[in-house]
Amino acid sequence: SGIRAFGGTFLAFADYLKPAIRLAAIMNLPVTYVFTHDSVSIGADGPTHQPIEQLAMLRSLPNLDVYRPADAKEVVGSWNNILKKKNPSALIISRNEVHLLDGTDPQGVDYGAYIVRKEQNRLNGIVIATGTEVNKALVVADNLMKKGIDLRVISMPCVETFCSQSDDYRESLIPVGYKTIVIEAGSSFGWHRFVYSDKFLMTIDKFGKSGTKEQVINYCDLCTEKITTRIEKLFK
């Protein structure tokens, strides 16, 4: 009929939808699942509502494209991509206020990942981030530039799309031989393909807790200050 079906709930509750999502993927149905409240930063709702492993679970499903846009521009790019495809998709959205970022581009989503901050002088390392962590990665990169560490920042709204690109494109973004760091407010599972060891994963492999946004982010070691310190140590 051409009608596009969609539904939505908190990302933490994607577990309840798993059988339906799996069937949509098997039958290649163009259903869009919109998941909000995408990280532990929702704070006071506590660990039952704070997603940890859900992104990894969704990305592990064959024939499902998972989009986690960094800002409204990437939301537009994600939606345009979803409408072009016939397979099911998951659109992962933050509930927190998100500002438009310099360097983001709706068309960049077409490639699954693209550069949002180029190295200024000499490339020292690469940071891959998704969703609201892209803004955090940009802040961290600016902080470390002052200390002589020149980082490229890559937004990766759709891992599946990026991995389907040509070897030349993927290597132009993430060349071999450079330290690569991943920042995402979720499980590290699935990210090891991009890094040399666990030290380069700024992710969350424990349940959250009830508290303010700032308290929970600090508890999960994902505040800007801690990430900056951890990355700086990787270059010493």
Side-chain angles (χ1 to χ4, degrees):
S1 66
I3 294 176
R4 302 290 293 240
F6 67 91
T9 185
F10 283 30
L11 179 57
F13 304 145
D15 301 316
Y16 296 107
L17 272 173
K18 172 67 183 298
I21 301 172
R22 190 169 190 269
L23 285 174
I26 290 172
M27 293 186 284
N28 203 38
L29 302 178
V31 182
T32 303
Y33 300 94
V34 182
F35 294 113
T36 62
H37 298 68
D38 71 338
S39 81
V40 296
S41 63
I42 58 176
D45 285 337
T48 56
H49 288 56
Q50 295 166 356
I52 299 295
E53 74 281 13
Q54 282 74 21
L55 275 167
M57 179 270 287
L58 291 170
R59 288 177 180 144
S60 73
L61 269 171
N63 203 35
L64 178 74
D65 291 329
V66 181
Y67 296 86
R68 188 169 183 243
D71 62 6
K73 288 182 284 183
E74 286 196 0
V75 171
V76 171
S78 298
W79 188 245
N80 287 340
N81 268 262
I82 288 169
L83 293 181
K84 294 175 188 174
K85 298 179 179 180
K86 300 299 183 183
N87 59 300
S89 302
L91 184 59
I92 316 299
I93 303 293
S94 173
R95 79 166 294 279
N96 299 115
E97 183 179 357
V98 179
H99 300 290
L100 292 177
L101 304 178
D102 293 335
T104 52
D105 181 3
Q107 294 182 334
V109 182
D110 294 347
Y111 302 96
Y114 63 103
I115 299 172
V116 293
R117 181 192 188 276
K118 293 183 179 180
E119 58 278 10
Q120 296 182 21
N121 299 309
R122 181 176 179 272
L123 179 62
N124 296 132
I126 301 158
V127 178
I128 301 170
T130 76
T132 49
E133 282 75 69
V134 174
N135 181 52
K136 190 165 293 187
L138 292 170
V139 173
V140 168
D142 286 342
N143 290 342
L144 290 173
M145 187 66 199
K146 299 172 184 176
K147 299 184 179 184
I149 301 172
D150 199 351
L151 298 176
R152 172 185 298 178
V153 177
I154 293 172
S155 175
M156 191 175 288
C158 187
V159 177
E160 298 81 15
T161 300
F162 174 69
C163 289
S164 71
Q165 300 303 312
S166 66
D167 290 344
D168 288 344
Y169 181 77
R170 287 184 282 123
E171 290 174 9
S172 71
L173 262 63
I174 311 173
V176 176
Y178 290 92
K179 294 179 179 178
T180 303
I181 299 106
V182 171
I183 305 176
E184 184 174 70
S187 170
S188 64
F189 193 87
W191 283 114
H192 292 81
R193 73 186 93 173
F194 297 110
V195 302
Y196 295 116
S197 74
D198 290 347
K199 294 185 299 183
F200 296 86
L201 293 171
M202 313 291 156
T203 50
I204 305 173
D205 287 311
K206 61 183 179 181
F207 293 116
K209 63 186 295 187
S210 183
T212 65
K213 171 185 173 182
E214 291 74 21
Q215 287 172 332
V216 179
I217 290 294
N218 184 64
Y219 169 75
C220 293
D221 299 322
L222 269 191
C223 62
T224 302
E225 294 78 12
K226 286 187 176 181
I227 292 175
T228 301
T229 300
R230 289 173 65 189
I231 294 178
E232 184 180 6
K233 289 179 179 179
L234 294 174
F235 289 89
K236 287 184 176 179

